[in-house]
Amino acid sequence: MKSYIYLLFSIFILSSCSSDDNSFEPQNEEDILNYIEEKNLNASKTASGLYYIIKNEGTGQRPTENSVVNIDYAGYYLDGGLIFKGNSAILDLSTIIEGLKEGIQLFKEGGEGTLIIPSELAYGTAGNSNASIPGGAVLVFDIKLTIADYVSQNETAILKYINDNNITNAIKSDSGLYYVINKEGTGEQPTNTSNVTVAYKGYFLDDTIFDQSSSDGVSFNLNQVISGWSEGITYFKEGGEGTLLIPFNLGYGINGFGSIPGGEVLIFDVSLLKVN
């Protein structure tokens, strides 16, 4: 479900494009100050021109401009008109509008508050026709930062799975991949560009299976699959068996793929049948 929420939300907050609404009167700082006064808000202003209200700073980790975070949100105009609302949206802060990128970093995990974003930190004079946001619109976001670092959250979940399942031989690579070699194998060892035949079972941390090959396996080039596979299969020799525990950034990212939600840890039991 998270992946679908992200895809919908990203339409609204990624790149700007032209708007067909020519009747909208562009808004400015005076409009923002009037809104703050009418709502009796205790707002602060950053050097960029972003206004923010911190209702609860939070106590956890603070994200950086390159973090992948999870938020609950509602976005609306100064007149109160709702633009979008949802829970558990996964966002890569490096790809979103400047006002949100800056504003989310003002909170720690668990924090919540309001961002009042002038048009120059949102969609400027062009607006965003995909979301029917006119040029010059000030955007207001109520947000709650539920996860400040999705990469760390994934690792915590992987370590809990390893502990809960009494896996004692898991190894972590420099990339963040965890792998378990139950049988190293004795044949050829592939590189990350090899064509291989692998039998596998893919499942989530709750053991729900999302994909499984036949015992004959599937053949593919390792430079054409997700990063967790490109790296992970190279730790085995032909005839080897084991498990890959793949964080989202080495799997299907924040968008997900098909029935696989964005941000999910993926687990694969693999048998390297042949290096072709």
Side-chain angles (χ1 to χ4, degrees), residues 29 44-52 102 106 118 120-121:
E29 185 165 25
S44 300
K45 181 183 179 182
T46 69
S48 71
L50 172 71
Y51 284 85
Y52 64 95
E102 178 185 0
L106 299 172
E120 58 266 27
L121 298 178

Side-chain angles (χ1 to χ4, degrees), residues 203-229:
Y203 49 99
F204 300 120
L205 289 171
D206 65 1
D207 293 329
T208 300
I209 298 172
F210 59 82
D211 193 15
Q212 188 168 8
S213 75
S214 70
S215 59
D216 293 331
V218 177
S219 297
F220 48 82
N221 294 323
L222 285 179
N223 59 355
Q224 296 178 336
V225 293
I226 58 175
S227 298
W229 271 69

Side-chain angles (χ1 to χ4, degrees), residues 15-262:
S15 60
S16 301
C17 50
S18 62
S19 172
D20 295 329
D21 187 354
N22 296 319
S23 63
F24 183 83
E25 187 70 27
Q27 297 168 323
N28 54 35
E29 185 165 25
E30 182 178 354
D31 296 306
I32 294 175
L33 293 174
N34 287 337
Y35 177 86
I36 290 171
E37 183 177 0
E38 289 172 3
K39 299 290 185 180
N40 194 27
L41 300 175
N42 182 22
S44 300
K45 181 183 179 182
T46 69
S48 71
L50 172 71
Y51 284 85
Y52 64 95
I53 299 100
I54 296 180
K55 298 176 182 177
N56 172 20
E57 184 184 17
T59 58
Q61 186 173 350
R62 192 185 300 276
T64 70
E65 63 180 7
N66 294 313
S67 293
V68 175
V69 304
N70 189 282
I71 67 169
D72 299 335
Y73 64 92
Y76 45 95
Y77 298 114
L78 290 178
D79 65 4
L82 185 67
I83 310 171
F84 34 76
K85 183 177 183 179
N87 295 323
S88 200
I90 305 172
L91 302 179
D92 181 344
L93 294 192
S94 67
T95 67
I96 62 177
I97 59 174
E98 290 300 318
L100 273 176
K101 179 192 298 186
E102 178 185 0
I104 289 172
Q105 294 178 72
L106 299 172
F107 299 88
K108 297 178 181 178
E109 191 168 275
E112 53 188 312
T114 300
L115 305 175
I116 306 172
I117 305 175
S119 63
E120 58 266 27
L121 298 178
Y123 298 104
T125 58
N128 186 319
S129 60
N130 287 332
S132 299
I133 296 175
V138 172
L139 305 182
V140 182
F141 280 89
D142 291 332
I143 66 167
K144 180 176 182 180
L145 179 59
T146 56
I147 298 174
D149 184 348
Y150 228 78
V151 175
S152 295
Q153 189 268 351
N154 263 211
E155 179 162 21
T156 298
I158 290 173
L159 290 173
K160 183 178 186 301
Y161 182 89
I162 288 171
N163 182 68
D164 290 348
N165 289 275
N166 297 313
I167 301 172
T168 59
N169 57 337
I171 301 170
K172 180 184 178 183
S173 75
D174 291 341
S175 70
L177 172 72
Y178 283 82
Y179 62 97
V180 179
I181 297 178
N182 295 324
K183 179 181 177 183
E184 185 179 10
T186 57
E188 183 180 351
Q189 188 161 5
T191 70
N192 59 10
T193 60
S194 295
N195 184 278
V196 296
T197 301
V198 179
Y200 67 88
K201 179 176 72 173
Y203 49 99
F204 300 120
L205 289 171
D206 65 1
D207 293 329
T208 300
I209 298 172
F210 59 82
D211 193 15
Q212 188 168 8
S213 75
S214 70
S215 59
D216 293 331
V218 177
S219 297
F220 48 82
N221 294 323
L222 285 179
N223 59 355
Q224 296 178 336
V225 293
I226 58 175
S227 298
W229 271 69
S230 296
E231 176 188 351
I233 299 299
T234 65
Y235 295 127
F236 299 90
K237 296 177 181 178
E238 195 172 80
E241 300 176 357
T243 301
L244 307 176
L245 297 99
I246 303 175
F248 81 96
N249 54 310
L250 301 178
Y252 291 105
I254 55 178
N255 290 334
F257 179 78
S259 63
I260 299 174

